[in-house]
Amino acid sequence: MMFVGRRGVVGAAVAAVVAGVTTSVAALPAGGEAARGDCPEARTKVERLEGRITPNACAFMRRQIAFGELPTGAPPAVGDLSHPRVKAYLDIFDEDATLWEAGSPPQRGHSVIGTSITGSLRLVPDLRYRGTDVVADGGVMMFGQWNEATLKGHKVAYPQIARNVLGDDGKSLQARRYYDRYALFRDTVPEMVPKGLFDGIADSGPAPSRGRTPEPVRAAEIPDRLAAWNGEDVDALLARTGNARLSGPGLGAPLATEAGKRAYLQRFFGTADVRFKAGQVAFGGTTTYVEWHGTVSGPKGKDIPFGIVERFGSGGEWELYFDTLPLVADQVEIGALFQKLAQP
């Protein structure tokens, strides 16, 4: 949602996550999805809405959608928390909320979060988004969205997952944003942007035979999946997803072949040494989101706050959401890129 954020929050340990997920699944209505009449105003604004849609989840979605649709008008002055669109943004968050975005520790509280969004709206006053695949699981919300903005005369568009833990009033207590900041620079400052992490990765080898769609992810699988990410176990990561198509940062089209998916993961692990904890999980009727968060170390820095969200979809989709920028540029280089982007 915001371009200038570089933040992080602490998640639950694996055992706590599994216990919480088990409770959440048990509480789901028959069929795993709330009645279609729940929160109809949100259903008309997103492509797909699944899960346990409690009143606080509905209230959050109304606020999230309202900010995405509201025109900025005259951009706010830096730190102007009275600007109408800044107020709409802050209405999403509890007064003491934390907000993490790629690359740095969390922001905390309305003053810090609001000041940050004023900088973003000055850079991209036409920022807008629409809801895509959204899963509500009571107090956990995974809000998929498609962001669009104009930067240096170029139309920029990219997917994002807004992950939130909600209070009873539907305001976010703990928020994380997963998207690839590299997309902001690829066409806007091509003279400065480094080579993309996944340049040249494409399908190769035999096309997969048609097989069964992988079974829905279950809470009991979380520890093994976490171990596979931390152990750079490409075989285990691929085995779970079967013939699912892989979408992720740096890809022009989903990867369908095992060779293509393997090359993508091997390129990632060849650059990124991740140390993850299990984060939040949201179960819908046909879609599951799983969050991993912690740090990454590589050629461009050590122990950088980092995370990934996986989406396992109803039609055999396997999607990854993460930021490639700290894997191809250090903090000085990233700062220079943002300075160049802000210049007229």
Side-chain angles (χ1 to χ4, degrees), residues 131-156:
T132 53
D133 288 281
V134 180
V135 174
D137 202 344
V140 175
M141 171 67 63
M142 296 286 193
F143 193 94
Q145 59 192 65
W146 183 253
N147 293 353
E148 297 179 336
T150 305
L151 287 163
K152 288 190 171 294
H154 292 269
K155 295 293 183 181
V156 175

Side-chain angles (χ1 to χ4, degrees), residues 61-105:
M61 287 187 286
R62 288 198 298 264
R63 296 183 179 109
Q64 182 83 0
I65 291 167
F67 172 75
E69 293 182 338
L70 184 66
T72 299
V78 175
D80 179 9
L81 306 191
S82 66
H83 186 281
R85 199 171 189 201
V86 175
K87 291 172 66 176
Y89 185 68
L90 289 176
D91 193 40
I92 296 171
F93 300 95
D94 181 82
E95 288 280 351
D96 295 318
T98 56
L99 169 62
W100 177 89
E101 296 197 51
S104 287

Side-chain angles (χ1 to χ4, degrees), residues 255-277:
L255 297 170
T257 65
E258 180 178 346
K261 292 183 284 188
R262 184 175 295 276
Y264 186 89
L265 292 176
Q266 288 174 337
R267 178 76 61 83
F268 175 78
F269 287 126
T271 304
D273 179 16
V274 297
R275 291 292 179 266
F276 284 153
K277 299 177 182 178

Side-chain angles (χ1 to χ4, degrees), residues 301-324:
K302 293 183 177 181
D303 299 326
I304 302 165
F306 190 78
I308 290 177
V309 165
E310 293 188 87
R311 175 181 175 266
F312 303 92
S314 60
E317 306 94 346
W318 175 30
E319 298 173 354
L320 303 178
Y321 298 85
F322 61 93
D323 182 27
T324 68

Side-chain angles (χ1 to χ4, degrees), residues 36-59:
R36 293 200 60 80
D38 289 354
C39 208
E41 61 270 45
R43 288 192 181 277
T44 63
K45 299 286 188 176
V46 303
E47 295 176 10
R48 180 192 296 270
L49 174 58
E50 299 182 3
R52 188 163 58 98
I53 305 167
T54 50
N56 60 339
C58 183

